[in-house]
Amino acid sequence: MKREDYINWDEYFMGIALLTAMRSKDPNSQVGACIVSPENKILSLGYNGMPMGCSDDEMPWEREGAPLQTKYMYVCHAELNAILNSAHNNLKGARVYVTLFPCNECTKAIIQSGIAEVVYYGDKYHDSDSSIAARFMFEHAGVRLTPYKPTGRRVELEL
Ligand SMILES: [Zn+2]
């Protein structure tokens, strides 16, 4: 008899997005993204971080203060990193698993890359202008928005 308590695809890919988020150096926000083909193959991964060559130790991670001294000018979001990391993959019809609902800037990149579905976990900025603009664009572009529903169950493995 085969095992019955294996994780489903959504748990698997969101789990990988969460694991990927753990690579982030951002002290306040760790976000991960996992792009998956319609055949359930992983096409790309990304987490929020500074652009290549911009040292994590020299760039600001502040959220407040003069704009040039905040992270917002510099950080590349998880979704954008995942899209840019997938340069050799066709993302048309793909879905992206994100640990946090995308901002309006990543939304533009998601739509333009041809991604067809966003499965999101956190949504703490739901009422912000950025999220409202993101939902507006997704709706018009026909991108499906699916809230992730964790089962809460624990899968035990023998090692
Ligand atoms: Zn973003």
Side-chain angles (χ1 to χ4, degrees):
M1 279 230 303
K2 71 165 187 174
R3 273 179 72 229
E4 294 297 342
D5 67 339
Y6 58 89
I7 58 175
N8 63 36
W9 285 122
D10 281 348
E11 290 173 295
Y12 179 51
F13 296 128
M14 191 59 83
I16 289 168
L18 287 162
L19 186 67
T20 304
M22 292 178 194
R23 280 284 307 156
S24 176
K25 322 296 182 304
D26 192 317
N28 299 111
S29 173
Q30 302 83 39
V31 181
C34 176
I35 304 177
V36 178
S37 78
E39 296 79 29
N40 291 322
K41 290 179 181 169
I42 294 173
L43 300 175
S44 191
L45 300 167
Y47 58 87
N48 57 314
M50 293 297 172
M52 281 190 280
C54 301
S55 165
D56 295 318
D57 298 316
E58 289 164 35
M59 304 299 286
W61 291 102
E62 260 59 64
R63 289 180 294 177
E64 282 163 28
L68 289 175
Q69 303 307 320
T70 69
K71 66 177 180 179
Y72 300 110
M73 286 286 175
Y74 312 104
V75 166
C76 191
H77 285 179
E79 305 91 316
L80 187 58
N81 268 329
I83 289 167
L84 296 173
N85 288 342
S86 71
H88 300 294
N89 283 317
N90 180 7
L91 303 186
K92 210 156 230 113
R95 58 193 196 280
V96 61
Y97 289 79
V98 287
T99 60
L100 180 64
F101 192 86
C103 75
N104 63 305
E105 291 297 332
C106 289
T107 294
K108 299 172 196 174
I110 289 169
I111 292 170
Q112 298 301 71
S113 72
I115 289 173
E117 182 177 7
V118 176
V119 183
Y120 62 96
Y121 201 167
D123 191 21
K124 61 182 172 180
Y125 302 119
H126 183 88
D127 297 322
S128 69
D129 285 347
S130 174
S131 279
I132 292 166
R135 285 194 298 275
F136 184 81
M137 288 187 277
F138 281 137
E139 189 181 322
H140 284 264
V143 174
R144 203 139 56 96
L145 298 177
T146 308
Y148 174 67
K149 301 232 173 37
T151 60
R153 69 201 171 92
R154 266 184 70 95
V155 177
E156 301 288 346
L157 286 182
E158 218 171 300
L159 300 177

